[in-house]
Amino acid sequence: INALNMAVEEKCLMIAALQAPVATDLRLVMGAIRMAASLERMGDLASHIAKQVRMRYPNPSIPAELHDTFAAMGEAAKAIVDATGRVVDTRDTDLASEIKRYDDTLDDLHRHLFTAVLAESWDHGVEAAIDVTLLSRFYERFGDHAVTVARRIKHVVTGEPY
């Protein structure tokens, strides 16, 4: 993913320098640089989630009572990736609202996890609280980057500001 991000950036810089694009073409070139960075960051966040889980193996990274919440976060993240791919592929700006809906789901689940970790009934210790908080934040930021990609596509297509 990092190599692809660098390749997109280099290609866009070459186009900007050698072809002097204007209007929609310039928005596409500049937007591609920023979108590639967001997509690269999404890959980093997914990698952070995997590393966190592997770091605790064979012990679980999250308490059993939060498995369903994290499963829902994973489903929302997968849906975001699918919808973001469709937006990039089709430039269908109407799909941006779908991405926002999944991001709102991630945000709500993230807040729910904070409530769980801060509850007086939390008895899993500080290490588990940190793991849950970090993993939740990674998912939440993943969604935010997908929303950014969709907004940039909308800007490329319509010229409307972000």
Side-chain angles (χ1 to χ4, degrees), residues 93-144:
T93 59
D94 292 335
L95 291 172
S97 60
E98 184 178 334
I99 291 170
K100 180 70 174 120
R101 187 176 72 244
Y102 293 126
D103 181 54
D104 289 345
T105 298
L106 285 174
D107 291 345
D108 291 344
L109 291 166
H110 180 60
R111 280 189 294 278
H112 166 74
L113 288 168
F114 267 102
T115 302
V117 168
L118 295 173
E120 287 189 32
S121 61
W122 181 262
D123 62 356
H124 300 288
V126 173
E127 186 175 89
I130 291 169
D131 285 349
V132 166
T133 303
L134 281 173
L135 287 168
S136 176
R137 179 68 173 158
F138 295 153
Y139 277 103
E140 187 269 334
R141 291 298 301 141
F142 186 92
D144 290 345

